[in-house]
Amino acid sequence: MTTIMVVTMIALLLLGFPMMIPLITAAVIGFFMMFNGLGQMETLIQQMMAGIRPASLIAVPMFILAADIMTRGQSAERLINMVMSFIGHVKGGLAVSTAASCTLFGAVSGSTQATVVAVGSPLRPRMLKAGYSDSFTLALIINSSDIAFLIPPSIGMIIYGVISGTSIGELFIAGIGPGLLILCMFSLYCVAYAVIRKVPTEPKASWGERFGAVRMALWPLGFPVIIVGGIYGGIFSPTEAAAACVLYAILLEFVVFRSLKVNDIYAIAKSTGLITAVVFILVAVGNGFSWIISFAQIPQAILEAVGINEAGPTGVLIAICIAFFVACMFVDPIVVILVLTPIFAPAIEATGLDPVLVGILITLQVAIGSATPPFGCDIFTAIAIFKRPYLDVIKGTPPFVFLLILAAALLIMFPQIALFLRDVAFSG
């Protein structure tokens, strides 16, 4: 049965069907083979509906809506100007500013693709003018945007939390440490690149210009305060924080900055609705598929066949990293989380691994895969936005992928990089 389901999925993917079709087709075939027909098909439909029933998923469209409003408004530009005013003049400062801006915007949007658009569009021309190669610039934007998957809010963390039953608030807090670690690693590489290539520096901003840039960015900096401070302080649940972010984004862009008009609401709502529909269809179909493979005890058979159950905690973490990294090179990250998380659940439980640490590692691997050839989703976002050929976009990615893999290795060796803030925030 497993072989037939896998072959069906691969065949449909190669024929160009969207991911939801191979998933549901494989699930229906598995259901048919297990129950000798489709007479109880409503059971599978109920499982699919159960996948989108958790209240925590309400946060997903809200964060998507908030990100869409900010991307079309002035928030991203103000954050970029603030970062540039402080570090734009140091060696490699423009590249470091790009990485830092992606991190900051990730902290207010939670979307890697929104970050590629919001930060990459204004900063790529400036980096090219400053003397950075296009391959380095594109790779930096794509991979720095993936920090948005780790810095709260993170849609990937929400999906993992719903599937695994892990606290989304704890995942959000635990993602801060690894996100900042990756930012530091990227920054060191950017400085080294600028020194080796003799890239000229930007003019140094005066303290007056810096204070002005900070004053202009104070309102957008309220987003991470609402998300992290609200959850840490027990004021908001993650879902309530998402709703607060939407309200804050509307007030900011429509009332305070007046960067958007009432006429823009339709386009924003349409974009958010389309993205949300795709996400929720994938979640529903993925949950039905996961129920089929769990009911058939396929995860246990796979783990037993490869001997992961005897590998110990470190071995299980390494296997999880490899599986998610490779899968996200070919398949949409949300689908990978939906399909692979239940497969590894028995091994995670058997070895007593902290589900928050596992969630952070999975999120990191999803982020790496999203920017890794051949089919990382952020690669195609960059191709569409910057109108560059596929090979140009992926040419500069290997050093960044190496740094991200190194970050994953450090997380496995030193789990407190992720768990320290979680333990402080939620102790007692």
Side-chain angles (χ1 to χ4, degrees):
M1 183 180 84
T2 306
T3 303
I4 296 175
M5 291 173 66
V6 171
V7 169
T8 301
M9 288 181 62
I10 294 175
L12 291 175
L13 282 172
L14 292 176
L15 289 172
F17 285 92
M19 191 63 218
M20 64 189 75
I21 302 300
L23 271 178
I24 190 60
T25 304
V28 170
I29 289 174
F31 187 91
F32 181 87
M33 296 179 70
M34 280 195 305
F35 296 99
N36 297 318
L38 301 176
Q40 300 177 352
M41 192 64 181
E42 66 274 7
T43 305
L44 179 59
I45 296 173
Q46 289 170 358
Q47 292 298 324
M48 292 171 60
M49 296 304 297
I52 56 175
R53 194 171 293 137
S56 303
L57 284 175
I58 297 174
V60 173
M62 290 186 180
F63 280 130
I64 292 172
L65 177 57
D68 206 344
I69 294 171
M70 290 181 287
T71 302
R72 295 169 187 262
Q74 295 182 3
S75 295
E77 181 183 353
R78 290 171 179 245
L79 290 173
I80 292 169
N81 290 338
M82 182 191 71
V83 174
M84 281 293 301
S85 68
F86 281 93
I87 59 178
H89 65 281
V90 302
K91 200 66 174 177
L94 182 56
V96 175
S97 297
T98 301
S101 298
C102 287
T103 303
L104 268 179
F105 193 75
V108 301
S109 71
S111 169
T112 61
Q113 289 156 305
T115 306
V116 169
V117 176
V119 179
S121 297
L123 281 182
R124 177 172 169 264
R126 293 180 65 170
M127 289 190 65
L128 295 177
K129 185 178 180 180
Y132 292 92
S133 69
D134 201 15
S135 59
F136 172 83
T137 301
L138 291 169
L140 174 65
I141 292 169
I142 293 170
N143 287 277
S144 296
S145 296
D146 288 334
I147 300 176
F149 240 97
L150 288 164
I151 297 288
S154 166
I155 294 173
M157 288 182 185
I158 295 172
I159 301 298
Y160 169 81
V162 170
I163 295 298
S164 65
T166 306
S167 166
I168 296 173
E170 291 187 27
L171 288 167
F172 277 5
I173 300 300
I176 296 174
L180 295 178
L181 170 66
I182 294 169
L183 172 60
C184 291
M185 296 170 73
F186 281 7
S187 298
L188 290 173
Y189 174 61
C190 289
V191 172
Y193 179 94
V195 171
I196 294 171
R197 298 295 182 94
K198 296 182 172 59
V199 178
T201 57
E202 295 281 303
K204 186 176 182 179
S206 67
W207 280 105
E209 290 172 327
R210 290 174 179 175
F211 285 127
V214 171
R215 181 176 58 83
M216 295 290 285
L218 282 176
W219 284 106
L221 287 173
F223 286 100
V225 174
I226 291 173
I227 297 165
V228 178
I231 295 173
Y232 175 82
I235 302 171
F236 298 130
S237 69
T239 303
E240 291 166 343
C245 280
V246 172
L247 177 61
Y248 191 69
I250 291 173
L251 292 175
L252 211 57
E253 301 295 352
F254 283 90
V255 180
V256 179
F257 298 158
R258 296 183 180 178
S259 57
L260 298 176
K261 299 179 181 179
V262 176
N263 295 337
D264 296 315
I265 293 177
Y266 174 77
I268 293 170
K270 180 181 178 181
S271 173
T272 300
L274 289 172
I275 298 172
T276 302
V278 172
V279 171
F280 272 59
I281 291 172
L282 287 173
V283 170
V285 173
N287 193 72
F289 181 83
S290 299
W291 175 75
I292 290 292
I293 64 173
S294 298
F295 191 88
Q297 296 190 326
I298 294 174
Q300 291 85 340
I302 293 174
L303 296 179
E304 185 177 346
V306 298
I308 290 180
N309 289 330
E310 291 77 35
T314 302
V316 171
L317 289 177
I318 293 173
I320 287 172
C321 288
I322 294 172
F324 276 84
F325 172 69
V326 173
C328 284
M329 291 167 62
F330 299 93
V331 182
D332 185 273
I334 292 176
V335 175
V336 174
I337 295 173
L338 290 167
V339 173
L340 291 188
T341 300
I343 289 178
F344 283 99
I348 295 169
E349 185 176 353
T351 51
L353 287 167
D354 190 321
V356 173
L357 174 63
V358 174
I360 297 303
L361 276 168
I362 286 175
T363 305
L364 176 55
Q365 299 309 313
V366 165
I368 300 172
S370 298
T372 305
F375 301 122
C377 61
D378 287 342
I379 293 174
F380 294 99
T381 301
I383 290 172
I385 297 299
F386 304 126
K387 312 297 183 186
R388 298 300 301 162
Y390 178 84
L391 291 179
D392 285 359
V393 173
I394 68 172
K395 184 179 178 181
T397 56
F400 292 99
V401 173
F402 170 78
L403 291 174
L404 289 167
I405 293 174
L406 177 59
L410 290 173
L411 271 176
I412 294 175
M413 292 187 289
F414 307 105
Q416 285 305 309
I417 295 173
L419 300 181
F420 174 75
L421 285 178
R422 189 281 307 266
D423 293 341
V424 171
F426 290 91
S427 59

